[in-house]
Amino acid sequence: MPTFAYQSINSNASANCGVGASNSQYFTRMAHNHQASDQDRWHLVMPTAAGLKPQIPIHGPAQLVAQAPMGYMGKNQHSNAQFLSMIEGKARQTHQHLYRSLGQACDFLVYGEMDGSNSEWNSMQHHAGSLVGSNTTGKACNSFSIHAANTAQHTILGSGMGWTAVRTGNVNAVFVHVPNSIAKKQDDAISFYRSINNHLIHAGYGAIDLVMGDTNQGTDSFTADVLSKATGTTFSDAHSEASIHPSDSYHRSFSGTNSTASKKYDVAIYNTKTIHVNKVDYLSQSTPVTVNGESASAAVTDHMGIFIDVSK
């Protein structure tokens, strides 16, 4: 029963894929300010231990904190080193929340819009997991970074513009950041997924079992519909509820996963003929910070993360 996690960060189109390409980008600032408009305490911060491997569960109660004030993630408010520390903390929070939600450690964690081979992201191996691999088309926003506790258990099956595919156990998982130019066009999206599926089949790996990531889809059912048409089998959204209640949220739900909580861009879509979903959950855009000596949270990306436990 492998467990997968996906988290997009918000990066620009810079050919320099270092931390600066992701530091307090426009939609990240928008996500933070949207959440900070309500100053009720809502964000659950799990205990972590920086000296231990991130997959090891740390016992103890969550701390309930409010969002840092509006403007906290403004441009030039944080150095690249400070922002990297926030992303590292976010990775450790992902592992702890996933363990509590799914009841087991994370096998595999993929970051969209991050080039893990860039030396400025080296430290993520201590906080997200060892680097299985990375790929980029040359721009920060078109990159993926793949992390795991045990790199030998995973095989990279291929990659291209907007996607990377990995086999874990017997599950073929495709992680996507679908280009905006095709994300809402049915025929183009069908061709996008059909090409990936054909690549996997022709390489001898079999068809797609699971698609996760930032789809930029126009409607909640769009990705499942186009995947079904592209592959000739039925795909469904693993999360069918109307509202989203992230695992790190206390008594606060959202209508979407993007910066304004208005669009469900980030999804896990599964092949109903090959995959059984045991559980799926979301994680907000926020991470622990300290403001004037007090614990708080701040959005470090524009999209929610998602994790899932499946069997095949």
Side-chain angles (χ1 to χ4, degrees):
M1 295 192 299
T3 58
F4 301 92
Y6 182 91
Q7 176 68 67
S8 287
I9 61 174
N10 182 200
S11 302
N12 62 28
S14 172
N16 181 345
C17 298
V19 175
S22 310
N23 187 352
S24 298
Q25 294 298 305
Y26 173 77
F27 288 110
T28 295
R29 305 195 301 269
M30 184 181 294
H32 177 81
N33 290 337
H34 178 79
Q35 293 177 3
S37 63
D38 181 349
Q39 280 292 297
D40 288 343
R41 293 178 181 268
W42 70 277
H43 189 226
L44 294 168
V45 176
M46 292 298 177
T48 59
L52 297 180
K53 292 183 177 180
Q55 297 86 1
I56 296 175
I58 307 299
H59 298 284
Q63 183 180 13
L64 184 62
V65 302
Q67 200 81 350
M70 295 180 70
Y72 180 82
M73 292 304 296
K75 255 321 192 188
N76 302 317
Q77 293 297 307
H78 308 283
S79 68
N80 287 348
Q82 291 171 326
F83 183 77
L84 174 60
S85 180
M86 294 180 197
I87 296 288
E88 292 170 348
K90 177 70 168 169
R92 288 193 171 267
Q93 288 292 310
T94 297
H95 281 286
Q96 295 304 316
H97 280 285
L98 184 147
Y99 183 85
R100 286 163 175 78
S101 176
L102 305 185
Q104 56 184 314
C106 178
D107 293 311
F108 204 75
L109 172 56
V110 176
Y111 281 91
E113 305 190 47
M114 178 191 292
D115 180 2
S117 67
N118 188 288
S119 61
E120 293 187 20
W121 292 112
N122 277 348
S123 63
M124 287 298 289
Q125 297 193 58
H126 302 295
H127 303 280
S130 299
L131 187 66
V132 178
S134 64
N135 63 278
T136 181
T137 62
K139 297 180 179 180
C141 58
N142 294 330
S143 304
F144 293 91
S145 187
I146 304 166
H147 299 263
N150 187 339
T151 59
Q153 294 179 346
H154 315 283
T155 303
I156 297 178
L157 307 182
S159 62
M161 173 62 78
W163 68 276
T164 190
V166 182
R167 187 176 181 86
T168 294
N170 62 349
V171 177
N172 294 334
V174 177
F175 301 90
V176 299
H177 178 203
V178 182
N180 284 318
S181 60
I182 68 172
K184 296 175 178 63
K185 300 176 182 177
Q186 179 172 307
D187 290 346
D188 290 345
I190 289 172
S191 296
F192 174 77
Y193 288 112
R194 180 174 289 150
S195 176
I196 298 170
N197 196 57
N198 288 343
H199 168 83
L200 299 186
I201 292 173
H202 292 160
Y205 299 119
I208 296 172
D209 294 312
L210 179 69
V211 171
M212 294 180 69
D214 175 6
T215 64
N216 288 303
Q217 62 184 359
T219 63
D220 290 358
S221 63
F222 181 84
T223 301
D225 290 343
V226 296
L227 265 166
S228 299
K229 291 181 173 68
T231 62
T233 190
T234 302
F235 277 77
S236 293
D237 189 339
H239 180 274
S240 58
E241 299 174 24
S243 62
I244 297 167
H245 187 88
S247 64
D248 59 341
S249 171
Y250 178 74
H251 287 181
R252 189 167 179 178
S253 60
F254 300 83
S255 298
T257 67
N258 66 333
S259 58
T260 57
S262 59
K263 298 290 185 180
K264 192 179 183 182
Y265 287 156
D266 307 275
V267 292
I269 309 293
Y270 69 101
N271 186 331
T272 61
K273 292 186 177 180
T274 63
I275 290 294
H276 174 73
V277 176
N278 300 312
K279 190 170 183 182
V280 64
D281 214 338
Y282 279 94
L283 196 69
S284 80
Q285 297 91 333
S286 289
T287 196
V289 296
T290 301
V291 180
N292 297 324
E294 298 289 332
S295 296
S297 63
V300 289
T301 182
D302 58 335
H303 286 252
M304 288 185 181
I306 187 169
F307 35 79
I308 192 170
D309 176 24
V310 302
S311 53
K312 182 179 180 181

